[in-house]
Amino acid sequence: MAVSQTSVLVVGGGPVGLTLSVLLSGYGVDHVLVEARGATSSHPKARGVSARSMEIFRRIGLEEAVRSAGLSGEQVYFYRGHDLVDPGFVRTGLAEQSDDGDERTPSPGIICSQDALEPVLLRCAEALAGPRIRFGTRLVSFADDGRGVLAVVEDAATGARREVRADWLIGCDGAASPVRNGAGIAMEGPTGLGRYLSIRFEAPLGPVVADRASASYFLTAPGRGGFMAVDNDRHWIYQYPLTQDAEPAVDPSDPGHLTELIRTAAGIPDLDVTVRDTMTWRMDAQLATAYRRSRVLLAGDAAHLIPPTGGHGMNTGIGDVDNLAWKLAAVTAGYAGDALLDTYEAERRPVARQVIDISTANARARAGYRIDDELLLTAAYASTAVVPDTDTAPEVAALHPGGYYRPVSRPGARMPHVRLSDGPAGVTSTLDLVGPGFTLLTATDSPAWRRQAEAAQKEGIPLNVQAVNTGTRGERTPGQWERLIGTDSGAAAVLIRPDGHVAWRGTDTAADLRAVLRSVLSS
């Protein structure tokens, strides 16, 4: 049996696995991705791409491509009515944000269904990794000997098997996750919170919803379920709740029966409907008991099953791999210790726990809920990959739902966005100054901090120094950066990790930056 070698084997080519591939390529990490399906998803599935995910796509150069593939921002509304022609409908937007004067993100979220998102990610992944992206290839088995993983994969078309030796195996392979099961990691939490029939269909509904165009159409009693817009014109999804009473009367294989369900829900008895396909799914709220076992790590639905009420499931998975990718890069390159990978679970599992709880509460809310685009901007980490302020004990910060995100620069938090002017093309936010390695941000150029960075670079640590204000580029609102970091000291510096979270901050240029980095990197 042929054997190949790679640093990282990624199993699963959905949005999470493909995003991980693009990130690993950006960090120069050799990897192979295998996906059992022969092609990307034909079903819209997940649709909401939150602000934090869009910031990640911005960093890897995909924001505009993803935005072009999604619905117009003018249609990101949420409809409630007993059918699609209800004259008493109510339409609401995203959760209201506080008006504190600060622009909180340069990349607001959009609706981009999974069948449109995956091709964008796949094209980029293939452009960067070429034939090492292998759709139509399934994981058969794997063995972890503590020094690496030996996996057997099979080509679906030919049945040919080959072995892949990898330093690390990452399971991005969904709810059933063969990787998670093979590693012996259990899931905890309730299952069966609801069951649904998802019907993908075509119908000329564009003119019907022209005055009420929304991303989601929630039906109120006596209506059942809801519609999800794919293009708000001809392409749609109808989600029909399957209860024990209703389930025997539903025949997913009968297009005529499904057509009548759609017509009744839409409130249009003669609607011209073409059913394309169906999918049944179950709402669960589960969390893996561990994210790492030896050389195996989990991300996305393999690590957490989040109710879709809120649209945070896929976005939490994208955040997982953004956290994991730079750590894999540091460990495989040799400038970080293996213990850095333990901080992945320490940082991301508490986030998933809170998202599950928030989404479960949304599912039970009789009065409905609103989509919180900025929820995941509030995620802040406490682990050995963060050096807390000297007067602050590290603690896991609670997510803040409901539009209460406040930009801060404390260690562990996502670095604050400040709008920049007069910079080079593509640099209009402090977020654009970050990466691909560590970034030391100062208000203005600092020779002392540059000397510190040069010393760290000599140890093989990728680190750049960036000034927010230069001779040409500067803050659109003068003084905003100093206000957000809490000091006007010219010696202040903020160390940003490759994932855009604050690792450390200080005001003394005599601080040992190399020691800080060694601590963050578990080296």
Side-chain angles (χ1 to χ4, degrees):
M1 191 181 300
V3 181
S4 60
Q5 177 78 35
T6 189
S7 294
V8 179
L9 175 60
V10 180
V11 179
V16 173
L18 289 171
T19 300
L20 176 57
S21 173
V22 174
L23 286 162
L24 290 175
S25 290
Y27 294 130
V29 178
D30 182 69
H31 67 283
V32 171
L33 181 148
V34 296
E35 164 57 51
R37 296 172 300 160
T40 55
S41 176
S42 62
H43 204 87
K45 296 183 182 179
R47 299 186 310 140
V49 184
S50 73
R52 184 56 184 148
S53 295
M54 290 303 289
E55 289 181 352
I56 294 167
F57 292 147
R58 179 189 186 95
R59 193 183 335 122
I60 60 180
L62 286 177
E63 180 184 7
E64 290 310 312
V66 173
R67 205 170 289 284
S68 296
L71 286 180
S72 164
E74 298 173 353
Q75 298 177 7
V76 184
Y77 284 88
F78 303 91
Y79 171 101
R80 283 179 172 81
H82 60 254
D83 56 30
L84 295 183
V85 293
D86 184 355
F89 75 90
V90 174
R91 193 172 74 140
T92 57
L94 296 171
E96 293 182 3
Q97 311 302 326
S98 61
D99 185 14
D100 58 10
D102 285 333
E103 180 187 38
R104 291 178 289 279
T105 178
S107 304
I110 64 163
I111 299 296
C112 182
S113 58
Q114 190 168 332
D115 59 326
L117 175 62
E118 285 187 6
V120 173
L121 296 173
L122 177 58
R123 284 193 294 271
C124 185
E126 289 181 330
L128 295 170
R132 299 180 82 76
I133 306 299
R134 300 172 185 169
F135 272 58
T137 303
R138 71 179 184 95
L139 176 71
V140 176
S141 63
F142 69 89
D144 178 351
D145 62 10
R147 299 183 303 277
V149 174
L150 182 64
V152 177
V153 300
E154 180 181 85
D155 185 294
T158 66
R161 293 187 175 186
R162 62 184 303 138
E163 291 182 331
V164 180
R165 179 75 185 180
D167 297 325
W168 303 96
L169 172 63
I170 316 300
C172 303
D173 49 344
S177 186
V179 171
R180 184 186 67 234
N181 294 333
I185 299 175
M187 297 288 277
E188 56 186 14
T191 63
L193 300 180
R195 293 184 68 246
Y196 296 83
L197 173 65
S198 181
I199 308 170
R200 183 169 69 95
F201 69 97
E202 291 183 31
L205 286 170
V208 175
V209 302
D211 65 340
R212 57 194 69 190
S214 302
S216 297
Y217 300 78
F218 300 107
L219 302 186
T220 57
R224 292 176 60 83
F227 291 90
M228 299 193 307
V230 176
D231 63 3
N232 257 327
D233 186 16
R234 290 197 56 84
H235 299 276
W236 299 84
I237 296 291
Y238 175 48
Q239 301 278 20
Y240 182 79
L242 296 172
T243 64
Q244 288 193 347
D245 292 337
E247 197 168 342
V250 176
D251 183 358
S253 66
D254 182 353
H257 179 60
L258 299 179
T259 294
E260 288 307 311
L261 283 180
I262 293 166
R263 286 172 172 167
T264 299
I268 307 172
D270 59 349
L271 182 65
D272 181 17
V273 175
T274 302
V275 173
R276 292 304 182 191
D277 60 40
T278 65
M279 179 179 70
T280 57
W281 58 276
R282 186 181 72 187
M283 185 188 298
D284 298 335
Q286 292 198 298
L287 184 62
T289 55
Y291 277 26
R292 178 186 178 186
R293 181 148 295 167
S294 185
R295 292 277 172 162
V296 179
L297 298 106
L298 307 176
D301 285 356
H304 42 71
L305 297 176
I306 299 172
T309 39
H312 301 303
M314 177 179 68
N315 294 298
T316 303
I318 290 171
D320 290 343
V321 294
D322 188 41
N323 183 289
L324 179 58
W326 73 268
K327 295 174 181 178
L328 286 168
V331 171
T332 58
Y335 60 84
D338 286 2
L340 177 63
L341 292 172
D342 291 329
T343 69
Y344 167 60
E345 176 179 327
E347 294 182 347
R348 292 303 300 176
R349 193 171 183 274
V351 172
R353 174 72 271 164
Q354 294 178 76
V355 173
I356 288 171
D357 292 343
I358 290 168
S359 301
T360 302
N362 286 343
R364 294 170 176 164
R366 293 187 176 183
Y369 59 91
R370 299 182 74 175
I371 302 299
D372 188 350
D373 183 46
E374 296 184 355
L375 175 69
L376 296 177
L377 296 181
T378 71
Y381 302 143
S383 76
T384 57
V386 172
V387 179
D389 293 336
T390 54
D391 58 349
T392 305
E395 61 177 352
V396 177
L399 295 178
H400 297 289
Y404 294 106
Y405 170 66
R406 300 290 186 279
V408 294
S409 66
R410 68 174 178 272
R414 164 249 191 207
M415 68 164 290
H417 155 68
V418 171
R419 182 65 67 178
L420 303 177
S421 298
D422 301 323
V427 180
T428 59
S429 165
T430 46
L431 273 61
D432 300 327
L433 303 178
V434 172
F438 285 84
T439 304
L440 192 68
L441 280 180
T442 58
T444 57
D445 185 58
S446 170
W449 282 120
R450 287 192 178 278
R451 287 192 292 272
Q452 286 253 32
E454 289 168 1
Q457 290 164 355
K458 291 177 180 178
E459 295 189 359
I461 300 172
L463 172 65
N464 292 315
V465 181
Q466 293 275 10
V468 173
N469 298 288
T470 66
T472 56
R473 181 188 67 228
E475 302 164 77
R476 180 174 295 177
T477 303
Q480 184 182 4
W481 175 253
E482 291 178 342
R483 175 170 58 80
L484 289 174
I485 66 173
T487 179
D488 60 1
S489 169
V494 181
L495 180 65
I496 311 298
R497 306 185 329 185
D499 62 357
H501 280 255
V502 177
W504 168 87
R505 61 183 177 180
T507 57
D508 184 357
T509 56
D512 189 342
L513 186 59
R514 287 180 297 176
V516 169
L517 285 161
R518 292 189 196 110
S519 175
V520 169
L521 293 167
S522 300
S523 61

